[in-house]
Amino acid sequence: MRISESLKFGIRSVECGVKDLYSAFCIPQSALGRFGIPQFKGGELMALVVQKYGGTSVGDIERIKNVASRVIATKNQGHEVVVVVSAMAGETDKLIHLAQQVTPNPDEREMDVLVSTGEQVSIALLAIAFKSMGYNAKSYLGFQIKIATDSAFGKARITGIESEKILDDLKNGLVVVVAGFQGVDESDNITTLGRGGSDTTAVAIAAALKADVCEIYTDVDGVYTTDPNICSKARKLSKISYDEMLEMASLGAKVLQIRSVEFAKKYDVPIHVRSSFNDNSGTIVCKEDKEMERVVVSGVTYNKNEAKIEVMRVPDVPGVAAKLFKPIANANIVVDMIIQTSSADKGFADVAFTVPKSDFAKTLQIVKGTIKELGGKEVDADENIAKVSIVGVGMRSHSHVATQMFSALAKEGINIYMISTSEIKISCIIDSKYTELAVRALHDAFQLDQPEVKEEK
Ligand code: ADP
Ligand code: ASP
Ligand code: MG
């Protein structure tokens, strides 16, 4: 069943629960309208909440018990809760490392069988914790639900979610615990959704169930103007638009996986990013509103997980770019920045582009094959790069933002290798050793520690 179809039979009918829980954040009315008639339980308004707890939040047994207590507190307020959990902190890395000890290029299907096991441990432990506290709960792996995906192992996309089992369990008063990050393809192969994929599981489930809100519990208490772990001046945002969050996530702010924001935007699911270690209100990710439009730059991001490949002296004739990039796309590799420049030799061009580091070796192998065909001369590769970016919806109407960014980097003596822009972001590729310096310099240059950077009149 496709997601869009499964949404049609979503039977949630909660309107006021979310207002009750989230009135402080002024979730746009449009986000509430679809929930229909309010539901009551013992005279109280009830909401359906999907809560996702990341690896650090379930990092040891005490933390798992802490998660169980938090979920029970929500349930005791009269709400229905579906919990999505990640593997315990460090477990997915450990599993990947095990496979790499067998071979540097492990089979992709079997890798998904392996790495999906981390979440099996955490859902079972959490369900055991609930039961030991006297609450009825049931854990599910992706294929048991079922969370249907395509067959792109290691980066599968969710194509549908069957919600019947979850809804039945909720009706019977159970807490439903779902393994994040995993699904099953049409041939019953186990798949995984890419690093950080539990966020996407949670939002997709929230969309399929028409939940009132999807709460993402992590080790920071919201989305900040930049990574608070590398910039002490980072400021927590009370709200951010889906579009800005999409840009921030795609540019490296790993607090939310990009696909989770895509789902949230498409199905209008409000996300609340907050900490599992305190009760602070966090950041609401929702539709853009007027207040947000005034912000020129809302965040700075960095991504050290890309590598640069440069192909020198390919013939400057129609069709060359297509020939170069088609086999890369066919291998399911997503190319990010692309720059083509005229080569010093007339009639030739140099093409530079970036790919995820995890696809670097594979891409290099493909490109080396293709340039033989194209008659290109050499391939240069650099893994020590980082992409620093500024993001903001207000940038659309401002001409000086780019120069301000380049000047801030120049002032620190940081050289820019590549630049790319969109309506609401500017990214620069730099040497990775300057990443933290660049992030702090940009945060300062755009005064992001101040409550708001207003439009100049
Ligand atoms: P989880 O394991 O809970 O999914 P992640 O490690 O995936 O947590 O995401 C949380 C981390 O995201 C934070 O510890 C922080 O270092 C990082 N991060 C990067 N950019 C931002 C940002 N703009 N706001 C908040 N956190 C950010
Ligand atoms: N356990 C997976 C990872 O480490 C998925 C997740 O945490 O969201 O990437
Ligand atoms: Mg994460």
Side-chain angles (χ1 to χ4, degrees), residues 89-271:
E91 285 306 313
T92 310
D93 289 341
K94 261 191 222 161
L95 293 166
I96 294 171
H97 185 62
L98 280 178
Q100 278 165 349
Q101 286 174 275
V102 180
T103 166
N105 279 320
D107 179 82
E108 289 175 339
R109 178 189 183 278
E110 304 312 327
M111 271 310 274
D112 277 3
V113 175
L114 176 69
V115 295
S116 59
T117 60
E119 274 69 12
Q120 181 160 359
V121 173
S122 47
I123 54 165
L125 289 173
L126 185 58
I128 289 169
F130 283 125
K131 291 182 185 183
S132 74
M133 293 171 172
Y135 286 81
N136 207 355
K138 199 165 176 184
S139 66
Y140 287 105
L141 292 167
F143 81 89
Q144 293 173 303
I145 290 287
K146 84 185 203 183
I147 298 175
T149 72
D150 62 19
S151 303
F153 297 116
K155 47 184 144 182
R157 283 182 178 271
I158 295 177
T159 52
I161 291 182
E162 289 179 11
S163 44
E164 289 91 341
K165 276 186 196 143
I166 303 180
L167 292 169
D168 280 351
D169 287 345
L170 290 175
K171 221 187 304 164
N172 293 325
L174 271 70
V175 177
V176 181
V177 186
V178 181
F181 180 53
Q182 55 179 265
V184 60
D185 76 1
E186 270 183 359
S187 315
D188 288 338
N189 296 303
I190 304 277
T191 54
T192 64
L193 312 178
R195 299 308 303 266
S198 301
D199 298 333
T200 303
T201 307
V203 177
I205 288 179
L209 299 178
K210 295 196 172 183
D212 297 271
V213 65
C214 181
E215 296 181 324
I216 302 284
Y217 285 92
T218 183
D219 55 1
V220 287
D221 61 1
V223 179
Y224 279 69
T225 46
T226 194
D227 185 345
N229 288 324
I230 70 159
C231 179
S232 57
K233 289 191 195 164
R235 182 175 47 86
K236 187 165 80 183
L237 303 164
S238 56
K239 277 201 267 181
I240 185 169
S241 70
Y242 290 128
D243 287 334
E244 280 174 315
M245 194 61 236
L246 267 178
E247 288 287 359
M248 284 189 62
S250 70
L251 296 169
K254 69 169 185 158
V255 63
L256 286 176
Q257 199 202 33
I258 177 164
R259 284 184 191 161
S260 69
V261 191
E262 285 168 359
F263 261 108
K265 182 180 174 189
K266 188 163 176 192
Y267 296 110
D268 211 357
V269 178
I271 299 180

Side-chain angles (χ1 to χ4, degrees), residues 71 78 86 93 107 130-131 169 179 246 267 309 312 340 362 373 402 410 450 454:
V71 173
S86 296
D93 289 341
D107 179 82
F130 283 125
K131 291 182 185 183
D169 287 345
L246 267 178
Y267 296 110
I309 295 178
M312 256 76 81
Q340 180 172 329
K362 201 165 156 190
E373 244 178 76
Q450 306 296 315
K454 296 248 173 86

Side-chain angles (χ1 to χ4, degrees), residues 227-385:
D227 185 345
N229 288 324
I230 70 159
C231 179
S232 57
K233 289 191 195 164
R235 182 175 47 86
K236 187 165 80 183
L237 303 164
S238 56
K239 277 201 267 181
I240 185 169
S241 70
Y242 290 128
D243 287 334
E244 280 174 315
M245 194 61 236
L246 267 178
E247 288 287 359
M248 284 189 62
S250 70
L251 296 169
K254 69 169 185 158
V255 63
L256 286 176
Q257 199 202 33
I258 177 164
R259 284 184 191 161
S260 69
V261 191
E262 285 168 359
F263 261 108
K265 182 180 174 189
K266 188 163 176 192
Y267 296 110
D268 211 357
V269 178
I271 299 180
H272 185 183
V273 179
R274 54 196 310 199
S275 168
S276 60
F277 302 111
N278 59 45
D279 290 323
N280 297 350
S281 59
T283 303
I284 294 289
V285 188
C286 57
K287 273 189 188 157
E288 188 176 328
D289 65 28
K290 284 205 175 81
E291 198 184 311
M292 293 170 178
E293 281 168 26
R294 297 208 306 272
V295 182
V296 179
V297 174
S298 54
V300 178
T301 61
Y302 65 95
N303 183 355
K304 291 185 185 177
N305 291 324
E306 288 191 10
K308 180 163 71 99
I309 295 178
E310 212 165 338
V311 186
M312 256 76 81
R313 286 191 87 248
V314 286
D316 196 3
V317 292
V320 168
K323 279 193 188 132
L324 186 63
F325 289 109
K326 200 168 173 201
I328 300 174
N330 287 346
N332 252 324
I333 295 167
V334 181
V335 174
D336 181 19
M337 282 196 202
I338 304 177
I339 290 187
Q340 180 172 329
T341 43
S342 299
S343 173
D345 288 340
K346 218 172 176 318
F348 292 93
D350 298 338
V351 183
F353 60 94
T354 60
V355 289
K357 264 188 190 152
S358 52
D359 290 324
F360 178 63
K362 201 165 156 190
T363 315
L364 209 53
Q365 200 184 352
I366 295 172
V367 169
K368 282 184 176 161
T370 320
I371 66 158
K372 269 192 209 139
E373 244 178 76
L374 294 176
K377 281 281 176 287
E378 52 183 289
V379 182
D380 193 25
D382 188 354
E383 281 192 274
N384 297 318
I385 58 149

